[in-house]
Amino acid sequence: DIQMTQSPSTLSASVGDRVTITCRASQTLSRWLAWYQQKPGKAPKLLIYKASDLESGVPSRFSGSGSGTEFTLTISSLQPDDFATYYCQQYNQYPLTVGGGTKVDIK
Amino acid sequence: QVQLQESGPGLVKPSQTLSLTCTVSGGSIASSGYYWTWIRQPAGKGLEWIGRIYTSGSTNYNPSLESRVTISKDTSKNQFFLKLSSVTAADTAIYYCARDDYNNKGVDYWGQGTLVTVSS
């Protein structure tokens, strides 16, 4: 199985901050990586697919980059609605595997 | 807009079989290009992919669960199903059904999730 490592596991930030989350894969993924946002009691919501493609309806302050084994999710200016947990998931190979998550909370 | 809805017992006894149904609306599970997937999340923990089924009926399972998992479908009802046998407390989790746009977006549509507790 491909191991996915996210960092940091927790991130404290303020509204307006630029936030970057990193995801590393144990094998190359090409660009088959997605980012999800999850709020308590809710299903994950797709933000980014194919490493950098923005899902329809997702604000443009979210962006993704990377290829191969290293990827980043950036929130350019953190908004109150963005406090949540973020996951990266690889879909280059089955079984699908997910990073451990990054909880973004209020500083 | 594709919508998915999980249903099934919220409480299962240890050693018994967990059975869930996912009802899909706004799209057909007979459409090519998508897998129909089960994913779970223990309370306060990360996501674990369980397995998937294609329109042809072919399935793939997480090796860690493969000996206990069966995913099937009923195209006429636009439903797919999860059976997990010999459950223990470690199988207590929120279970999600989802659509896997495997050649493009990955897992793009999710159900709301259903909590299944394994307890006597």
Side-chain angles (χ1 to χ4, degrees):
Chain A
D1 299 3
I2 296 177
Q3 305 304 313
M4 305 297 294
T5 304
Q6 263 182 260
S7 61
S9 56
T10 306
L11 188 161
S12 296
S14 301
V15 172
D17 284 354
R18 181 181 181 88
V19 166
T20 299
I21 299 168
T22 298
C23 181
R24 290 186 174 87
S26 62
Q27 302 174 33
T28 184
L29 306 179
S30 182
R31 297 181 64 81
W32 299 110
L33 182 108
W35 288 98
Y36 296 88
Q37 177 193 69
Q38 188 178 33
K39 296 183 177 179
K42 299 292 188 183
K45 173 187 174 183
L46 178 65
L47 300 175
I48 302 285
Y49 61 95
K50 284 193 202 169
S52 60
D53 289 351
L54 190 67
E55 173 67 338
S56 175
V58 174
S60 59
R61 62 181 179 271
F62 291 91
S63 63
S65 64
S67 64
T69 61
E70 188 152 338
F71 302 85
T72 59
L73 173 71
T74 299
I75 309 172
S76 60
S77 178
L78 197 66
Q79 297 303 301
D81 191 47
D82 302 338
F83 292 99
T85 300
Y86 295 84
Y87 294 96
C88 60
Q89 181 188 66
Q90 66 82 19
Y91 55 111
N92 180 67
Q93 180 184 114
Y94 287 86
L96 301 182
T97 48
V98 186
T102 296
K103 183 176 181 180
V104 178
D105 61 22
I106 301 173
K107 183 186 286 185
Chain B
Q1 178 84 351
V2 175
Q3 294 184 307
L4 302 97
Q5 178 69 58
E6 305 88 352
S7 59
L11 181 64
V12 182
K13 290 181 169 29
S15 80
Q16 293 191 342
T17 296
L18 177 160
S19 296
L20 294 175
T21 298
C22 182
T23 302
V24 179
S25 58
S28 172
I29 66 170
S31 299
S32 61
Y34 306 106
Y35 278 94
W36 302 91
T37 294
W38 289 96
I39 295 168
R40 71 180 183 179
Q41 185 173 34
K45 297 188 177 180
L47 299 158
E48 180 181 33
W49 182 77
I50 299 171
R52 64 179 185 171
I53 188 165
Y54 195 59
T55 183
S56 64
S58 67
T59 53
N60 299 102
Y61 300 129
N62 191 323
S64 67
L65 297 168
E66 187 164 15
S67 63
R68 300 193 291 129
V69 173
T70 303
I71 296 175
S72 58
K73 64 183 177 70
D74 184 337
T75 304
S76 67
K77 294 182 178 179
N78 221 30
Q79 294 176 326
F80 62 105
F81 312 101
L82 171 69
K83 290 190 185 298
L84 181 66
S85 64
S86 305
V87 297
T88 70
D91 296 309
T92 294
I94 296 172
Y95 285 75
Y96 295 100
C97 60
R99 188 181 83 167
D100 179 0
D101 181 10
Y102 65 96
N103 213 27
N104 188 20
K105 296 185 178 184
V107 181
D108 57 352
Y109 287 98
W110 298 68
Q112 65 185 24
T114 188
L115 174 63
V116 179
T117 301
V118 179
S119 175
S120 55

